[in-house]
């Protein structure tokens, strides 16, 4: 996706710019011709709007004292109140929360940094990320309504498995 002033391409760029494909619409590239997005209209605003993504991050590693795992997850939830719920055991944990991001790539990137960036500040165990699921809000609610998705996060907080 090319951003900036219309006109000549920046020095060193190819003729075609990277583009994003909007759901339900054509690609917004140079061949599509000028439209509302080219003039800063509604389509351009929609492209930059953020969405809600449901994130489930699973981590695992060597056995750690359960009380320390709980305390660390509680500290993480205190530092970042966006966390909905955490489940834990001595050798693994699962964190579920809603992330506001422009697209799935941004939401996943934030999720993949969460554990490592807060390992020392929250006292998290030196576990590795072993699973990540990022789904949009509609998919989350559809799964719950059909009974095959994750259970609703009604019990907020940090809980043992």
């Amino acid at each position: 996706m090319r951003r900036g002033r219309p006109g000549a391409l920046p020095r060193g760029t190819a003729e075609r710019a990277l583009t994003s494909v909007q759901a339900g619409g054509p690609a917004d590239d140079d061949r599509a011709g000028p439209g509302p997005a080219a003039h800063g209209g509604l389509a351009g605003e929609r492209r930059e709007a953020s969405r809600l993504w449901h994130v489930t991050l699973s981590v695992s590693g060597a056995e750690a004292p359960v009380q320390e795992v709980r305390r660390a997850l509680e500290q993480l939830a205190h530092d970042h109140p966006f966390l909905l719920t955490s489940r834990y055991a001595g050798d693994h944990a699962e964190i579920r929360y809603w992330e506001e991001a422009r697209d799935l790539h941004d939401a996943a990137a934030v999720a993949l940094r969460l554990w490592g960036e807060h390992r020392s500040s929250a006292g998290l165990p030196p576990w590795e990320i072993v699973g990540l699921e990022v789904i949009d809000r509609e998919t989350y609610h559809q799964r719950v309504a059909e009974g095959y998705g994750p259970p609703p996060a009604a019990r907020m907080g940090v809980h043992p498995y």
Side-chain angles (χ1 to χ4, degrees), residues 91-149:
D91 62 348
H92 64 283
E94 177 184 89
I95 299 168
R96 295 177 49 207
Y97 65 95
W98 289 98
E99 179 68 54
E100 184 175 356
R102 182 175 51 91
D103 58 22
L104 181 135
H105 296 281
D106 289 348
V110 170
L112 289 171
R113 290 191 313 262
L114 177 71
W115 193 262
E117 287 182 356
H118 299 286
R119 185 174 291 152
S120 61
S121 64
L124 298 167
W127 295 342
E128 67 176 332
I129 296 172
V130 296
L132 173 65
E133 180 184 52
V134 181
I135 57 175
D136 68 353
R137 185 176 180 184
E138 292 174 14
T139 302
Y140 174 83
H141 288 298
Q142 180 182 3
R143 285 183 180 181
V144 170
E146 292 174 356
Y148 66 87

Side-chain angles (χ1 to χ4, degrees), residues 72-93:
L73 289 172
E74 286 173 345
Q75 182 63 46
L76 181 62
H78 179 267
D79 293 346
H80 300 279
F82 58 81
L83 295 178
L84 285 178
T85 185
S86 297
R87 299 187 304 168
Y88 66 93
D91 62 348
H92 64 283

Side-chain angles (χ1 to χ4, degrees), residues 31-52:
R31 294 171 297 166
H39 303 292
L42 183 59
E45 292 170 10
R46 212 176 343 177
R47 181 175 43 225
E48 298 301 323
S50 38
R51 299 167 49 191
L52 283 177

Side-chain angles (χ1 to χ4, degrees), residues 3-73:
R3 293 200 174 110
R5 294 185 322 217
L9 293 171
R11 188 176 57 179
T13 60
E15 248 182 68
R16 290 189 47 154
L18 295 176
T19 61
S20 291
V21 177
Q22 298 298 318
D28 179 24
D29 64 12
D30 292 335
R31 294 171 297 166
H39 303 292
L42 183 59
E45 292 170 10
R46 212 176 343 177
R47 181 175 43 225
E48 298 301 323
S50 38
R51 299 167 49 191
L52 283 177
W53 301 90
H54 187 266
V55 176
T56 303
L57 182 70
S58 300
V59 294
S60 181
E63 188 77 26
V66 176
Q67 297 83 0
E68 290 182 24
V69 174
R70 179 181 180 92
R71 187 212 47 77
L73 289 172

